[in-house]
Amino acid sequence: MSVHAALVRPVLRTSRGRHAKPRPAWPRVAGRAVFLVLAVLAVVAVVGAGWPPVLLVVPAAALVLFVASVAKLRTASRKIDTIFAEELIKPESVSAAEAA
């Protein structure tokens, strides 16, 4: 399939934009709840084992860096997609103007 055909084909399940239907919130809420429960269990396990709670700093920092890098990667991916879409659309309009 050519790139132009792929751009023309409707994209399924990508609801973005101003009038997009909001996605359900329960998966996010459930994910956050599971994460918080696991975090509390990790704290209880570390404290219960008699280890210093400072040991939790490294995994917490790694998690924060991972989440930040994923967010930046998604943002960069969207920007790149926008640039490619603009570049693919421009030559068609320019070639039509030159032909006239």
Side-chain angles (χ1 to χ4, degrees):
M1 174 184 295
S2 71
V3 176
H4 295 290
L7 286 174
V8 172
R9 191 182 82 205
V11 179
L12 302 176
R13 304 193 77 179
T14 57
S15 59
R16 290 186 201 152
R18 183 178 213 166
H19 303 291
K21 182 180 176 186
R23 294 183 179 173
W26 70 265
R28 291 188 302 273
V29 173
R32 289 176 185 159
V34 168
F35 175 76
L36 288 175
V37 167
L38 290 175
V40 169
L41 288 175
V43 169
V44 168
V46 167
V47 172
W51 297 338
V54 169
L55 294 176
L56 293 172
V57 170
V58 173
L63 180 65
V64 168
L65 290 174
F66 176 73
V67 169
S69 66
V70 168
K72 286 182 181 181
L73 183 64
R74 290 180 66 192
T75 303
S77 173
R78 287 182 187 153
K79 287 180 182 179
I80 291 170
D81 288 345
T82 303
I83 291 168
F84 280 141
E86 290 173 355
E87 290 296 324
L88 289 173
I89 292 171
K90 284 182 183 177
E92 291 178 349
S93 61
V94 171
S95 61
E98 289 175 356

